Amino acid sequence: MNITVGQDQYEYSVEGESIIAKQDRLIDREDDLTKTTTWHRQGYTVQNLFDNSTYHSFIQVLTGILLNKFLESGIHLDPNKISEYHTRVENYEQHLAIVDKTKLIQGYELDPYFEKLEKAVSEICGIPVYSIKPMNGERVFHFRIIRPNRKDFNPLHKDGWMEELKDCINLYIPICGSNEKSSLILAEGSHLLNEDTFVRTKAGAKMNDVQFNVPGLIDSKESLNFVRPNPGSNEILVFSPYLIHGGSLNLNTNQTRISLEMRFWRKP
């Protein structure tokens, strides 16, 4: 299948054993945190995040954490040039090793901003949420690093296809290189479609000879409206885990896209 966003189009394919899905909607049997929002039908929103002072200190902390992870892998980058990451990585294996260091980072490294993020997202969703994973009590975050014109992205998928990622709300916060050519791709309104609309794999989809934990979208029986919401400085993209997303090739020519990704659940 092809991904078309505006004037941009590229081919997408994924491999794996397919499943036969139920003729229903995941949002009808899960805890849909967007249900009472004004943006429920599109499944996502872009909102302001913090006051300017808090935002700039937040980005400085994120950049410091990221640079330390790079240093652990032998890469030194100027804090003002982290979008040049792709010029310092020698091969895909080195990139994968760095990706492994920049995911599932323990929450204490981002204190005290978790509480501020919880407050902001609670206001956006209109319900109290927190960042503690119900299944294991963990509080984690990770960076997504997508080099220009490289197939570093996840397959198209729904987080809600995985048991541990149901009932949450997703956050995408741009750090560098995120724009109309590179930001996260969503299939607007796809959470409202019946599950039998989608042809997908079981967990462990394979794409570009790399196996992922997530199931992957193989095809759709209905056309999907792919968009890049493209949050700017001091903005946050909040979206449903039941939206098709991913497959986000970075079409920039000379900028690596780096973003922060987190999930929040309804607070008891």
Side-chain angles (χ1 to χ4, degrees):
M1 64 181 292
N2 289 328
I3 294 178
T4 302
V5 188
Q7 299 299 312
D8 299 319
Q9 183 179 91
Y10 55 92
E11 187 175 343
Y12 161 88
S13 63
V14 69
E15 300 174 354
E17 184 180 353
S18 62
I19 70 166
I20 299 175
K22 294 181 180 179
Q23 190 178 6
D24 67 354
R25 305 190 307 175
L26 282 181
I27 59 172
D28 293 333
R29 48 186 159 105
E30 311 294 349
D31 189 11
D32 176 16
L33 302 186
T34 75
K35 190 173 183 177
T36 61
T37 66
T38 58
W39 43 275
H40 169 65
R41 293 202 63 80
Q42 64 191 47
Y44 71 91
T45 185
V46 174
Q47 303 272 353
N48 288 332
L49 184 54
F50 299 134
D51 62 83
N52 287 333
S53 176
T54 301
Y55 171 73
H56 288 302
S57 63
F58 174 60
I59 292 298
Q60 285 182 334
V61 169
L62 286 179
T63 301
I65 295 170
L66 190 61
L67 291 174
N68 285 335
K69 300 300 179 184
F70 289 164
L71 278 175
E72 291 174 10
S73 301
I75 292 180
H76 180 271
L77 276 172
D78 185 300
N80 297 314
K81 296 181 179 180
I82 56 175
S83 65
E84 298 178 6
Y85 163 89
H86 58 283
T87 67
R88 307 297 298 277
V89 179
E90 296 179 358
N91 51 52
Y92 189 55
E93 289 69 27
Q94 185 183 23
H95 171 68
L96 288 180
I98 293 169
V99 167
D100 193 57
K101 289 183 179 294
T102 56
K103 65 182 182 181
L104 298 177
I105 301 173
Q106 294 301 312
Y108 70 85
E109 293 201 40
L110 204 51
D111 286 340
Y113 292 98
F114 267 104
E115 185 176 338
K116 298 179 187 296
L117 285 163
E118 287 171 353
K119 180 181 179 182
V121 179
S122 294
E123 291 176 355
I124 291 170
C125 293
I127 55 174
V129 298
Y130 68 169
S131 54
I132 298 175
K133 200 170 183 178
M135 294 187 70
N136 55 21
E138 285 186 343
R139 172 181 268 178
V140 298
F141 63 96
H142 70 270
F143 296 100
R144 186 76 63 186
I145 305 173
I146 312 294
R147 296 172 296 168
N149 287 302
R150 301 291 183 89
K151 295 180 179 179
D152 295 339
F153 49 84
N154 275 351
L156 288 167
H157 66 284
K158 293 185 180 188
D159 285 357
W161 285 339
M162 295 177 287
E163 190 66 32
E164 67 271 22
L165 299 182
K166 293 180 178 181
D167 304 332
C168 68
I169 198 77
N170 290 5
L171 274 63
Y172 170 97
I173 303 175
I175 298 174
C176 71
S178 181
N179 54 43
E180 68 280 358
K181 292 286 188 180
S182 62
S183 59
L184 181 65
I185 287 175
L186 307 175
E188 186 175 56
S190 55
H191 60 313
L192 302 177
L193 299 174
N194 284 342
E195 282 303 296
D196 65 346
T197 301
F198 310 109
V199 182
R200 69 172 179 91
T201 72
K202 295 182 177 179
K206 190 174 184 180
M207 185 175 66
N208 306 319
D209 295 322
V210 176
Q211 190 159 23
F212 294 83
N213 293 325
V214 299
L217 178 70
I218 297 173
D219 203 353
S220 174
K221 297 174 185 176
E222 295 192 26
S223 61
L224 299 175
N225 180 32
F226 290 111
V227 296
R228 289 191 191 263
N230 189 25
S233 176
N234 203 6
E235 289 185 332
I236 181 174
L237 168 64
V238 180
F239 66 98
S240 168
Y242 305 112
L243 274 184
I244 296 289
H245 65 283
S248 303
L249 182 65
N250 177 358
L251 297 173
N252 289 323
T253 58
N254 60 357
Q255 291 186 81
T256 293
R257 189 205 91 190
I258 302 179
S259 56
L260 175 73
E261 297 184 12
M262 299 174 61
R263 297 177 179 90
F264 290 76
W265 286 262
R266 186 186 295 271
K267 192 171 183 178

